[in-house]
Amino acid sequence: EQAKAAGVFTPKQEDYQKVYDKIAQLLVEHDEYDDGSYGPVLVRLAWHASGTYDAETKTGGSNGATMRFPPEGDHGANAGLHAARDFLDPVQKEFPWITYSDLWTLAGVAAIQEMQGPKIPWRPGRNDRDVSYCTPDGRLPDASKEQKHLRAIFNRMGFNDQEIVALSGAHALGRCHTDRSGFSGPWTFSPTVLTNDYYKLLMEEKWAYKKWDGPKQFEDVSTKTLMMLPTDMALIKDKSFKSYVEKYAKDNDAFMHDFSNVVMKLFELGVPFQTEERMTFKTSE
Ligand code: DDH
């Protein structure tokens, strides 16, 4: 405690596990939110913090947590993510030694693992930075676009076709909100459990334009309750992307394995780590 007060506290794996456990506990306690979990929106926060990375200029990425500041927090792509940041505030208060940048990615890891996803090895080392490090608007993908845009955005971060498809499986989780992105509905029937259903549904369902006043999106013909964005549909229009969609639709273990690797890479983009060593958190129960 004294060391903490003096600001020389060096957290160990067991300390980060306590942060993980607190997030897991709050996820259970706040099951009134959305489809019953803050998990999906926590994953989206970690992704949007990380996905601003530009490999060429080495700017953006999860190091900095610059989404705390209005220019970046107000970017259209980040609409609604205050829900995730507010959810994590009590955690930051209880563990004031952790940076927001480390906390947001750790929360993404906790959310994925608690929603029955794979273990995501994680390491600390991100530092919060000031408003001058905010990234320009437009670094995150635009859902109304297609494969050319997907490659431009994700190649900029350093991801190839296989990694783009593996990352997109995160859309097994959560939903679109008309008051956030303008789009509407979930991608799968179990939006609080990570499965390869996103790929299965892409391959097996019939998708048609949704008839409505909102932005162009697709709905499943049989139940009209699920959705796909134009960027999601691009993954089965493009031959190269589609080969990986087919693979992950058939093989959940391959998806879980590749998802773990690619999310680990995403959450580490642009971070000047002092350690090579990663930790793996114990999942609750
Ligand atoms: Fe996504 N995503 N995402 N996404 N995403 C939305 C929701 C969620 C795109 C657009 C949207 C990834 C890739 C893409 C999650 C995780 C990830 C919404 C709806 C839009 C729009 C937001 C709202 O209305 O609340 C586009 C475009 C892409 C792309 O081009 C590839 C990736 C890589 C991830 C990831 O985590 C690795 C999650 C989770 C959600 C659900 C959020 C929620 O609140 O529920």
Side-chain angles (χ1 to χ4, degrees), residues 16-31 36-39 42 87-88 91 95 103 106-115 281-285:
Y16 290 107
Q17 180 71 49
K18 281 183 195 150
V19 179
Y20 178 107
D21 293 346
K22 182 71 195 184
I23 296 164
Q25 180 203 329
L26 289 174
L27 281 172
V28 172
E29 283 174 15
H30 290 283
D31 65 353
S37 174
Y38 272 92
L42 290 182
F87 173 90
L88 291 172
V91 184
F95 305 96
L103 177 62
L106 198 165
V109 167
I112 289 166
Q113 292 191 188
E114 294 301 306
M115 293 189 288
F281 296 111
K282 286 195 274 296
T283 300
S284 61
E285 285 164 351

Side-chain angles (χ1 to χ4, degrees), residues 31-44:
D31 65 353
E32 77 287 352
Y33 177 79
D34 235 4
D35 295 298
S37 174
Y38 272 92
V41 79
L42 290 182
V43 174
R44 191 161 200 244

Side-chain angles (χ1 to χ4, degrees), residues 40 43-44 47 141 143 150 154 170-171 174-177 181 187 231:
V43 174
R44 191 161 200 244
W47 138 238
L150 282 179
F154 283 92
H171 282 173
R175 61 167 56 244
C176 296
H177 305 79
S181 60
W187 290 265
T231 40

